[in-house]
Amino acid sequence: MTDNSPTHGAALRLEVDHALDAALQRLFDEGRYRVFINVDRECGHFPHAQRSLADGTTHDVTVWCGNDYLGMGQHPRVLDAMQDVLISSGAGSGGTRNISGTTRHHKALEREISDLHQKESALLFTSAYVANDATLSTLRQLLPGLIIYSDSLNHASMIEGIRRGGGEKRIFRHNDLSHLRQLIVADDPAAPKLIAFESVYSMDGDFAPIEAVCDIAEEFGALTYIDEVHAVGMYGARGAGVAERDNLMDRIDIINGTLAKAVGVFGGYIATSSRIADAIRSHAPGFIFTTSLPPAVAAGAVESLRVLKSREGQELRHGLAARAAEVKAQLLSRGLPLVDHGSHIVPVIVGDPVHCKRVSDILLDEYGIYVQPINYPTVPKGTERLRLTPSPIHSSSDVTQLIDALDQLWSHCALNRIASAA
């Protein structure tokens, strides 16, 4: 007989509480417990912000781990567009895309995105995470027997979408074309196939061999799915990403991107053929049952993309590359252990979760520099790091302040250095 007594219920609740406490304690013990840092961005002063403490006091900080890579979140044209539509249309969209939540601003944004990536169509989602998850899981339902080949370092959203879709999947070693080919050759030639990968991998800042992946896909009749989240706005003549930079957009079937990083607003999307977009729009629960982006957000993204496609956008991209190069050169001159794959992302390796968190805390508390520690499982154990994201809106004095602080802390904490380039 089942025991439904109050005493039994209380005991079960106690077991749940103990399990949760134990799970949290493990994170504390391993130096992996995440703490929210209250940072109030100051429009017109990015990357400088105000840190709010529990006692009500505030302190000036410089943000070195933000994803507003080009400062478009404070661009006057973006703000004006959002304010105009906020006044004219109100705060929210009022519904899903299928039920009263499609406005001219959403349609205009999808046109701007499809134009950016030179695709027939684009489909908006509430985030790039949802776009990845919804699209990859839905493709599995639309294409029976689909085998998905996924890079081992793909983002969690891609992994989740592939997992939720069920069916066959193959994980190939990161950027290992021989392994990818080996896996494809071993499978049924008649099975539909899709290769999912990223253009820029955000933790190491390395690039995918896009052309070689496309060659393999073409040879075996596979679809190509690329995540350009950390590249949109920052690479290519008009900011469409690495595939545009390398003149390969026409060889990619589905491009995933975000409006929340270099575009400076919020939301995600896919750009693809009209047929694929229509099928995803009509079948993906993550699209169908989600309230659409606020019209003001869509309008701001439209204006941001127009800026990024222009000469001004080109100048911002040049500024980003120059600032990233400056940071890397100064890190090397002090023997600070960075990873440099040529992208705008600058990981500085600490190699220990407790030390990584400690260095981050001291930077914030004593130097007014905010860099979030990146620990396992986001990166492998032993590669814990501070992930720097330079931008054209960081000044040379900001760079000097950062490098001096890191240099002092590396000595204070007796962390490993590399041979100085100086």
Side-chain angles (χ1 to χ4, degrees):
M1 179 179 293
T2 302
D3 185 354
N4 292 322
S5 67
T7 302
H8 179 68
L12 289 176
R13 180 58 183 267
L14 190 60
E15 288 181 15
V16 170
D17 290 344
H18 285 163
L20 295 175
D21 289 342
L24 291 171
Q25 189 60 50
R26 284 194 297 272
L27 294 179
F28 277 110
D29 294 342
E30 297 171 9
R32 298 194 293 117
Y33 182 77
R34 291 177 170 90
V35 177
F36 289 147
I37 307 298
N38 295 329
V39 177
D40 296 321
R41 300 188 346 142
E42 295 184 310
C43 188
H45 299 283
F46 301 168
H48 302 286
Q50 290 290 311
R51 179 193 180 193
S52 303
L53 300 179
D55 62 5
T57 61
T58 60
H59 299 274
D60 294 335
V61 296
T62 303
V63 178
W64 275 98
C65 56
N67 283 336
D68 188 356
Y69 289 124
L70 301 176
M72 292 303 296
Q74 62 183 350
H75 195 286
R77 283 174 56 179
V78 174
L79 300 183
D80 287 346
M82 294 185 72
Q83 289 169 349
D84 288 346
V85 175
L86 180 65
I87 297 302
S88 65
S89 298
S93 69
T96 66
R97 288 294 298 275
N98 289 320
I99 306 177
S100 82
T102 294
T103 70
R104 60 187 174 90
H105 305 292
H106 296 90
K107 300 300 292 184
L109 179 52
E110 287 174 337
R111 286 194 298 272
E112 287 292 338
I113 293 168
S114 60
D115 170 75
L116 177 69
H117 293 290
Q118 295 297 288
K119 295 297 183 186
E120 293 177 344
S121 191
L123 195 62
L124 286 172
F125 292 83
T126 49
S127 72
Y129 187 109
V130 174
N132 272 333
D133 184 2
T135 303
L136 288 167
S137 61
T138 301
L139 284 172
R140 269 276 177 64
Q141 312 306 317
L142 295 172
L143 302 172
L146 177 67
I147 303 172
I148 298 181
Y149 303 84
S150 176
D151 188 286
S152 62
L153 293 189
N154 276 343
H155 190 266
S157 58
M158 301 173 79
I159 295 170
E160 180 64 13
I162 294 168
R163 185 196 66 79
R164 284 201 317 107
E168 295 294 324
K169 66 176 182 292
R170 311 283 185 258
I171 310 301
F172 62 93
R173 290 185 292 271
H174 178 53
N175 281 349
D176 189 331
L177 299 171
S178 296
H179 191 214
L180 172 60
R181 172 180 287 277
Q182 176 186 337
L183 292 172
I184 293 180
V185 167
D187 281 324
D188 181 357
K193 300 173 177 65
L194 179 146
I195 304 172
F197 62 111
E198 300 183 39
S199 61
V200 180
Y201 289 85
S202 63
M203 289 301 110
D204 282 336
D206 58 328
F207 295 97
I210 301 175
E211 184 172 16
V213 172
C214 290
D215 288 342
I216 293 174
E218 185 174 310
E219 179 181 353
F220 293 96
L223 296 169
T224 47
Y225 185 108
I226 194 168
D227 181 315
E228 290 259 34
V229 159
H230 288 276
V232 167
M234 293 167 284
Y235 299 91
R238 298 197 306 157
V242 181
E244 181 191 32
R245 183 198 69 180
D246 297 346
N247 296 313
L248 296 168
M249 284 196 298
D250 62 320
R251 301 186 67 186
I252 303 292
D253 293 295
I254 305 172
I255 298 174
N256 170 275
T258 185
L259 305 168
K261 291 182 170 61
V263 180
V265 192
F266 185 76
Y269 61 84
I270 59 169
T272 184
S273 68
S274 296
R275 179 181 290 107
I276 291 175
D278 198 22
I280 298 299
R281 177 187 72 83
S282 301
H283 291 87
F287 177 85
I288 296 171
F289 299 106
T290 301
T291 299
S292 64
L293 293 176
V297 169
V302 166
E303 201 60 37
S304 180
L305 288 175
R306 289 172 179 169
V307 171
L308 292 174
K309 293 175 185 179
S310 71
R311 179 176 296 276
E312 182 180 353
Q314 293 175 353
E315 292 171 353
L316 286 171
R317 286 186 282 280
H318 290 319
L320 172 66
R323 191 64 74 217
E326 180 183 359
V327 170
K328 293 173 185 178
Q330 290 208 29
L331 287 169
L332 284 173
S333 73
R334 309 290 183 95
L336 296 169
L338 76 154
V339 176
D340 184 7
H341 290 289
S343 75
H344 61 285
I345 294 170
V346 186
V348 181
I349 303 300
V350 178
D352 177 270
V354 175
H355 287 160
C356 195
K357 177 67 165 60
R358 180 62 178 149
V359 169
S360 173
D361 288 344
I362 295 175
L363 282 172
L364 185 59
D365 294 336
E366 299 183 16
Y367 293 88
I369 293 172
Y370 177 33
V371 185
Q372 189 72 18
I374 307 295
N375 292 334
Y376 176 85
T378 305
V379 295
K381 291 180 178 179
T383 69
E384 292 82 4
R385 66 198 62 186
L386 302 174
R387 178 178 168 274
L388 306 177
T389 53
S391 75
I393 57 175
H394 285 96
S395 67
S396 288
S397 61
D398 290 332
V399 175
T400 299
Q401 179 198 27
L402 169 71
I403 302 301
D404 285 346
L406 288 172
D407 191 23
Q408 294 169 27
L409 284 178
W410 243 252
S411 296
H412 176 73
C413 299
L415 298 172
N416 291 331
R417 293 181 186 256
I418 57 176
S420 175

